[in-house]
Amino acid sequence: MNFFELLLHPILYIITIIVPLGYGLFVHNIFFKPKKSVFFEIGSLGFLGFSFILLISLFFHFFIPLTDYFCFFILSLGLLLFFFNINVFSTIFSRYYLLAAIILYPLSIIFYPNEDFNHYYLPYLTYIQSSKIVFGLGNLSDALIFSQNSHYDIYVFFKIPFLAEKGFSIPGISFYFFFVSFIISQIKKLDSKENIFLLIILILSFSSFIKLRDIGAVIPSQFLMISSLVAGYLCYKFKDQNQYFILSLFYFLFAFILRINAIVILPIITIIIFVNLKSIIQLIKQHKLFFSFSVLLTLLFFLKNIIISGCLIYPIQ
């Protein structure tokens, strides 16, 4: 990196954290009572913000290419939402989150794209920035229609031309930060034995994911899968807090959209649904806007896949 890139890199890292938080709080306040839901913590707000950015990306790409100007507008709006609510964030942002952000930052610097980046992801990013959605895109190249490209529908908003591929790992590290923040927030609610288990998860995640070269591609879905299972356990432990059930389902759905291999935890999610079967209808009535948001995000994901590949999920026929 030259000096200019070295200066931009940490700024982009901060932006990829505060923009999802800005959108996450905005969406949270629409769907839930302010400060009275399990989503009201740094990790969940960040994931919620990323999901809303994905919805923006999927929806507008049906009509326009996601140009640099459009991406800049979406980033600017997210920044405004964050700074407009900075007093709210100051009440939930502790020194532990700041320490986590500092510790994780070097991972974004040592990132090097592997061969998949130039074969799959860079052409896909070029496509969504230069053209609106293309019917039958798979006839040109099947590399552009894999459903696992969904996370790049998010990353495109954080693409800074000056950093080229050196900045693509940063949103992945932000996902990592929100995952760590989610685990930290749950440690406060559990007893010592359960906290030891969560700490082991944190240690293993760091020791394993630090070595991956494609950290921007695989890891977000894996973090969401783990978060879904943790939320499912909290739903079992705190049976009077049904919002953990919603949180678990949301994390699973988001993980599935980003990478279909999240289907491996479907049996566990099915058990969680079965255990909470009696309360599902009541939860849908109480949080119908949030369930509508989740359904809309899923429908846009499937519709995009059908248009570009002819499949609900490519390469599954």
Side-chain angles (χ1 to χ4, degrees):
M1 284 189 183
N2 56 42
F3 177 77
F4 184 62
E5 291 176 339
L6 201 60
L7 181 65
L8 279 178
H9 206 272
I11 295 176
L12 180 58
Y13 178 62
I14 295 172
I15 289 175
T16 56
I17 291 176
I18 65 178
V19 167
L21 286 176
Y23 280 115
L25 183 62
F26 169 74
V27 175
H28 172 273
N29 291 342
I30 294 175
F31 297 145
F32 305 98
K33 294 181 180 179
K35 304 183 182 181
K36 291 186 178 180
S37 82
V38 296
F39 281 88
F40 191 69
E41 50 87 18
I42 294 297
S44 294
L45 288 177
F47 287 143
L48 188 59
F50 270 133
S51 70
F52 185 68
I53 292 173
L54 176 59
L55 186 144
I56 292 173
S57 178
L58 293 175
F59 177 79
F60 280 99
H61 192 230
F62 285 111
F63 309 103
I64 60 172
L66 306 181
T67 63
D68 288 336
Y69 295 108
F70 179 76
C71 293
F72 179 76
F73 171 76
I74 297 299
L75 281 185
S76 300
L77 188 57
L79 289 172
L80 288 175
L81 289 170
F82 176 84
F83 287 112
F84 183 78
N85 295 284
I86 195 166
N87 291 334
V88 177
F89 288 111
S90 64
T91 63
I92 58 175
F93 196 91
S94 70
R95 62 181 181 275
Y96 298 108
Y97 300 128
L98 178 61
L99 181 62
I102 294 173
I103 292 175
L104 295 178
Y105 174 66
L107 292 178
S108 66
I109 299 177
I110 63 176
F111 167 80
Y112 290 97
N114 60 13
E115 57 277 4
D116 285 346
F117 181 84
N118 291 316
H119 183 69
Y120 293 102
Y121 308 127
L122 192 57
Y124 181 78
L125 286 165
T126 302
Y127 149 65
I128 60 178
Q129 284 204 294
S130 59
S131 170
K132 65 179 182 180
I133 195 166
V134 175
F135 283 80
L137 183 64
N139 293 321
L140 298 178
S141 172
D142 61 356
L144 299 175
I145 60 175
F146 282 96
S147 60
Q148 65 198 36
N149 288 333
S150 292
H151 62 279
Y152 277 92
D153 289 316
I154 300 173
Y155 287 17
V156 66
F157 291 100
F158 303 97
K159 177 178 175 288
I160 293 182
F162 302 108
L163 286 177
E165 75 277 0
K166 297 176 183 177
F168 284 122
S169 64
I170 299 179
I173 302 299
S174 299
F175 266 99
Y176 198 168
F177 168 74
F178 292 131
F179 167 74
V180 172
S181 299
F182 172 73
I183 297 298
I184 291 174
S185 68
Q186 308 316 313
I187 287 176
K188 305 173 184 177
K189 306 171 185 176
L190 302 174
D191 58 38
S192 57
K193 292 182 180 179
E194 293 166 321
N195 286 340
I196 291 174
F197 177 71
L198 292 181
L199 288 173
I200 291 174
I201 291 177
L202 284 180
I203 293 171
L204 290 177
S205 70
F206 187 80
S207 62
S208 300
F209 297 135
I210 193 174
K211 300 177 182 179
L212 293 180
R213 297 173 62 204
D214 58 347
I215 191 168
V218 178
I219 287 183
S221 178
Q222 293 178 343
F223 288 151
L224 287 164
M225 289 164 61
I226 297 172
S227 299
S228 175
L229 297 178
V230 171
Y233 172 75
L234 292 171
C235 179
Y236 168 77
K237 182 178 178 64
F238 304 110
K239 295 182 179 179
D240 58 330
Q241 298 189 31
N242 290 328
Q243 284 188 0
Y244 283 113
F245 173 64
I246 301 175
L247 194 66
S248 180
L249 289 184
F250 168 71
Y251 282 157
F252 169 70
L253 177 64
F254 195 14
F256 175 78
I257 290 174
L258 293 183
R259 207 168 183 88
I260 61 173
N261 63 4
I263 201 75
V264 298
I265 67 169
L266 181 60
I268 301 177
I269 299 300
T270 303
I271 294 174
I272 295 173
I273 293 174
F274 181 77
V275 171
N276 294 273
L277 200 57
K278 294 181 180 180
S279 60
I280 287 180
I281 296 178
Q282 181 183 357
L283 285 171
I284 292 176
K285 290 181 179 178
Q286 289 177 347
H287 306 288
K288 52 182 175 292
L289 282 178
F290 183 72
F291 277 97
S292 299
F293 165 78
S294 301
V295 170
L296 177 61
L297 180 62
T298 306
L299 290 177
L300 288 175
F301 167 70
F302 285 136
L303 182 59
K304 181 199 79 169
N305 290 338
I306 291 173
I307 289 175
I308 64 177
S309 69
C311 307
L312 279 177
I313 302 174
Y314 184 82
I316 302 175
Q317 298 291 335

